[in-house]
Amino acid sequence: MTTVLGSEVILAENLTMVTEFLLLGFSSLGEIQLALFVVFLFLYLVILSGNVTIISVIHLDKSLHTPMYLFLGILSTSETFYTFVILPKMLINLLSVARTISFTCCVPQMFFFLGFAITNCLLLGVMGYDRYATICHPLHYPILMSWRVCGKLVAACAIGGFLASLTVVNLVFRLPFCSANKVNHYFCDISPVICLACTNTDVNEFVIFICGVLVLVVPFLFICVSYLCILRTILKIPSAEGRRKAFSTCASHLTVVIVHYGCASFIYLRPTANYVSNKDRLVTVTYTIVTPLLNSMVYSLRNKDVQLAIRKVLGKKGSLKLYN
């Protein structure tokens, strides 16, 4: 009995608990990192300016005070914070020799990243329902999408997103991390971190997979059903112009949905053992940088209502300057 207890004490003493992680990121690319810094900084500034423009225009132009643009404004706000959690640290690490992140900073980074990411997934599902209500039930739309209903849907997306994030983060960081601390990624993501745990992670990974199915597959299937109903309704429209206009209102949302859900599903709906760092890092860049960039570009440059509102806001500012 004494021997067993003694061996447990020695084992506990030999386990060095991790206090910080080393983010390997793009360190293997050498001198290319400087070029990546310039490219990613430019894209980050474009994302920020695009989202701030969308949020400001929706706030200032009363013609955009509709449920569709309320959801778009919330999505842009969420994506602004979503990129802020990841990209500044990534940009600093591209120029830094010490690419460490403390254990206590890694936890909130993962929590807020997943919280905003899952909120975005749920918001895209709600936006799909909004398009369904607009096209399939135009007469009942004011009731189906009243401001009260919209507020509840937004609150449900945010609460659901951060509760799911809290569950996943708790499952990851309740595991013991003993000596390995090299995260083969540019931020604290689930697979690169959980594979460093010095114990069996099968149960934790299975529960995380179930969470992934609930926040990715279920909303995506809901969007698919919504668009099947939309397609059936659009095909009944007699005029070609009417069908074209109905399709155009859904094209932007559908484009973002395919890219966002496709990349996220590729990363999170598979076992950690299948994690391949280089390929996965490229896909992660797509949904942490390209998808937010696509959102702001698609919804600002390709949306005629937003374009018109931008011109109106800029016109008002110009006339005020002339008047003063």
Side-chain angles (χ1 to χ4, degrees), residues 121-122 125 210-225 261 269:
C121 286
L122 300 177
I210 297 300
C211 290
V213 170
L214 292 175
V215 301
L216 287 171
V217 178
V218 173
F220 182 70
L221 289 175
F222 179 75
I223 292 170
C224 290
V225 172
Y261 280 95
L269 296 183

Side-chain angles (χ1 to χ4, degrees), residues 252-315:
S252 300
H253 176 254
L254 200 54
T255 303
V256 172
V257 163
I258 291 169
V259 175
H260 186 90
Y261 280 95
C263 293
S265 298
F266 177 81
I267 294 293
Y268 296 111
L269 296 183
R270 61 195 179 125
T272 300
N274 293 340
Y275 177 74
V276 183
S277 60
N278 292 330
K279 185 168 66 174
D280 287 5
R281 205 177 299 135
L282 180 62
V283 176
T284 308
V285 166
T286 302
Y287 75 78
T288 55
I289 299 176
V290 177
T291 303
L293 178 68
L294 182 68
N295 286 2
S296 58
M297 299 290 281
V298 164
Y299 284 118
S300 59
L301 296 181
R302 291 182 57 85
N303 189 298
K304 291 182 179 178
D305 292 336
V306 174
Q307 288 177 5
L308 182 62
I310 291 172
R311 285 195 290 268
K312 282 167 63 179
V313 170
L314 292 176

